[in-house]
Amino acid sequence: EKALPAGFFDDEKKDAYARNVEPPPDKNSDAEWALFNETIKEDLEISEQVEEEDNASLVEQRSKEEEAVQKFEQTWVQDLKAKHEALKRKLQSEGPALSEKKKAKVDSDSDSDGGDDDDDVLDAGLLDWRSKAM
């Protein structure tokens, strides 16, 4: 029988077994293991740095978005407060005139079958939601 040439198999142990020779001694597996662990450690450090950078940018982006929303909501509340104050002033300035109109309306309603007081307020345009501009 013809023997297989040396190096026929990629695995040195299998090659030696197939040729019926003593397998070569193990290489320094501890050194390889240490090299492997060092490489993995370096890769993990790089990965952690990238992850920290991503987290920092994500936190910064969320913070900017929250600030924008907060600013928008604050201006919205301020606008609503200003509209409320304007409506308050308008009601206070129209208050005496409104009460005179109401008294006149009550006098005229007492002659008729008695109207609803809510109609007076609606007639004045104070509770008519369609007339409010927001």
Side-chain angles (χ1 to χ4, degrees), residues 11-17 19 21-27:
D11 187 2
E12 292 177 359
K13 289 183 181 180
K14 288 183 182 179
D15 187 51
Y17 179 75
R19 292 184 298 119
V21 243
E22 190 172 317
D26 285 339
K27 292 182 180 176

Side-chain angles (χ1 to χ4, degrees), residues 96-113:
L98 216 123
S99 62
E100 290 173 12
K101 286 181 184 179
K102 200 172 191 180
K103 286 180 184 176
K105 182 80 173 174
V106 168
D107 290 341
S108 67
D109 283 346
S110 64
D111 294 339
S112 65
D113 49 303

Side-chain angles (χ1 to χ4, degrees), residues 45-79:
E45 289 174 358
I46 292 171
S47 175
E48 288 173 358
Q49 287 175 351
V50 168
E51 188 175 339
E52 287 175 7
E53 290 172 2
D54 287 347
N55 286 341
S57 66
L58 183 63
V59 166
E60 184 178 334
Q61 180 182 1
R62 284 182 183 170
S63 176
K64 286 180 182 179
E65 289 173 0
E66 287 176 3
E67 286 176 11
V69 168
Q70 195 74 349
K71 186 176 181 180
F72 170 76
E73 289 176 350
Q74 285 177 348
T75 56
W76 183 55
V77 168
Q78 290 172 351
D79 290 345

Side-chain angles (χ1 to χ4, degrees), residues 33-48:
W33 182 250
L35 179 65
F36 173 76
N37 282 332
E38 185 178 323
T39 306
I40 293 297
K41 184 178 178 182
E42 290 172 1
D43 288 345
L44 285 175
E45 289 174 358
I46 292 171
S47 175
E48 288 173 358

